[in-house]
């Protein structure tokens, strides 16, 4: 990535709801190239759906992508530990953040500089669950944007299989035995097929979310007709995706084509 000319970036805060965490930051190159429209990249951060982590974990990635010429919508959402956080409201917030592309986000984009017909959504860890689930719920489309690529970075792609995890139970609000339907409804593994390409990227040294989770998702999704592929990154772990210098990030940039 060192051969790409860096550009200054400007950031704008945009609210998509009335709750304190219903906002995002839109990152744009200070001088966008209107001669060749770029794509919009939506970032959905991870962090166990908990208020212990926020969209600032993606700040360095958002700036890097904008420096490369992309428009980047880095979204926050209500999380476990704040009013309204947890399932299903957290998922609904991400849907609303995507729908904001039709309104306040589009209004803040420079004319003719962004091609919304090739929008990408990137989700890391818990954010990967939210990204795949929300795009599936929307059928990979908003009123003005078509989502063509979803990047699931070391993502929680099966909430049913992960039902014994404390963070998943906190997110669901109750144990699996009390409400298995909630876990099934939230699981990307059980999501309907949608018209976008899903790329699951996973480091083979990840000791938090096993590589096998992404492998099983891709095998199952492809078997159901979903366009999906797996990219395995040797020697890197779970947090590599928030490091702009990592091989996991280079693979993400490659997939995004920015």
């Amino acid at each position: 990535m060192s051969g790409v000319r860096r550009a200054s970036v400007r950031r704008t805060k945009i609210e998509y709801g009335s709750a304190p965490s219903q906002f995002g930051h839109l990152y744009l190159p200070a001088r966008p190239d209107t001669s060749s429209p770029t794509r919009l990249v939506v970032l959905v951060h991870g962090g166990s759906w908990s208020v212990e982590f926020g969209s600032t974990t993606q700040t360095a990635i958002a700036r890097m992508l904008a420096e490369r010429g992309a428009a980047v919508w880095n979204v926050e959402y209500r999380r476990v530990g704040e009013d309204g956080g947890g399932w299903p409201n957290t998922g609904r917030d991400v849907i609303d953040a995507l729908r904001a592309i039709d309104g306040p986000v589009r209004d803040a984009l420079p004319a003719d500089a962004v091609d919304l017909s090739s929008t990408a959504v990137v989700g890391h860890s818990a954010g990967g669950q939210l990204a795949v689930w929300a795009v599936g719920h929307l059928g990979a489309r908003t009123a003005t944007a078509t989502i063509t690529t979803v990047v699931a970075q070391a993502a929680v792609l099966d909430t049913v299989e992960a039902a014994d995890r404390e963070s998943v139970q906190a997110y669901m609000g109750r144990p699996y035995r009390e409400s298995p339907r909630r876990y099934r409804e939230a699981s990307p593994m059980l999501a309907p097929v949608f018209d976008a390409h899903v790329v699951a990227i996973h480091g083979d040294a990840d000791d938090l979310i096993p590589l096998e989770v992404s492998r099983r998702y891709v095998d199952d999704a492809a078997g159901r007709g979903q366009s999906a592929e797996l990219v395995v990154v040797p020697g890197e772990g779970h947090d590599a995706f928030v490091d702009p210098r990592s091989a996991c990030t280079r693979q993400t940039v490659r997939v995004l084509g920015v």
Side-chain angles (χ1 to χ4, degrees):
M1 294 191 288
S2 59
V4 176
R5 183 175 64 84
R6 302 302 183 188
S8 58
V9 171
R10 57 187 176 92
R11 186 181 82 169
T12 304
K13 182 178 180 180
I14 297 174
E15 296 177 349
Y16 64 85
S18 59
S21 291
Q22 291 175 323
F23 72 92
H25 287 108
L26 180 65
Y27 292 77
L28 295 170
R31 293 184 176 86
D33 181 7
T34 57
S35 66
S36 179
T38 188
R39 78 188 315 181
L40 175 66
V41 178
V42 182
L43 298 181
V44 186
H45 72 83
S48 301
W49 309 278
S50 168
V51 290
E52 294 181 18
F53 302 91
S55 59
T56 55
T57 60
Q58 292 281 18
T59 297
I61 300 297
R63 291 192 64 86
M64 178 270 292
L65 292 173
E67 286 171 352
R68 298 177 67 87
V72 184
W73 174 223
N74 184 26
V75 303
E76 190 55 274
Y77 48 84
R78 287 175 292 176
R79 289 144 289 155
V80 176
E82 63 184 305
D83 288 345
W87 184 261
N89 288 342
T90 296
R92 291 170 179 166
D93 281 1
V94 175
I95 288 174
D96 288 345
L98 291 173
R99 286 177 171 154
I101 296 170
D102 302 329
V105 173
R106 184 183 59 178
D107 293 344
L109 295 174
D112 302 320
V114 181
D115 179 11
L116 294 181
S117 69
S118 184
T119 297
V121 180
V122 179
H124 175 228
S125 192
Q129 178 268 326
L130 291 166
V132 178
W133 179 85
V135 173
H137 184 87
L138 290 171
R141 282 173 173 78
T142 69
T144 61
T146 299
I147 298 164
T148 58
T149 307
V150 182
V151 181
Q153 302 172 317
V156 183
L157 292 166
D158 188 354
T159 50
V160 174
E161 182 68 21
D164 59 341
R165 285 179 173 259
E166 184 177 343
S167 60
V168 176
Q169 291 184 14
Y171 176 45
M172 290 289 104
R174 63 198 69 170
Y176 177 80
R177 66 180 181 276
E178 293 183 9
S179 187
R181 180 177 177 179
R182 291 171 73 88
Y183 286 75
R184 291 195 297 268
E185 288 176 342
S187 182
M189 187 74 74
L190 302 176
V193 172
F194 52 88
D195 191 17
H197 185 54
V198 180
V199 183
I201 307 179
H202 216 119
D204 68 1
D206 195 322
D207 58 2
L208 184 63
I209 305 294
L211 169 59
E212 184 59 24
V213 172
S214 289
R215 194 184 307 279
R216 283 193 302 104
Y217 168 80
V218 169
D219 288 346
D220 182 82
R224 293 186 290 114
Q226 176 68 53
S227 177
E229 68 174 294
L230 173 67
V231 176
V232 179
V233 181
E236 291 195 343
H238 196 72
D239 293 336
F241 291 99
V242 296
D243 180 357
R245 303 163 298 179
S246 71
C248 284
T249 297
R250 289 197 296 273
Q251 286 295 329
T252 301
V253 170
R254 177 189 65 80
V255 169
L256 295 175
V258 299

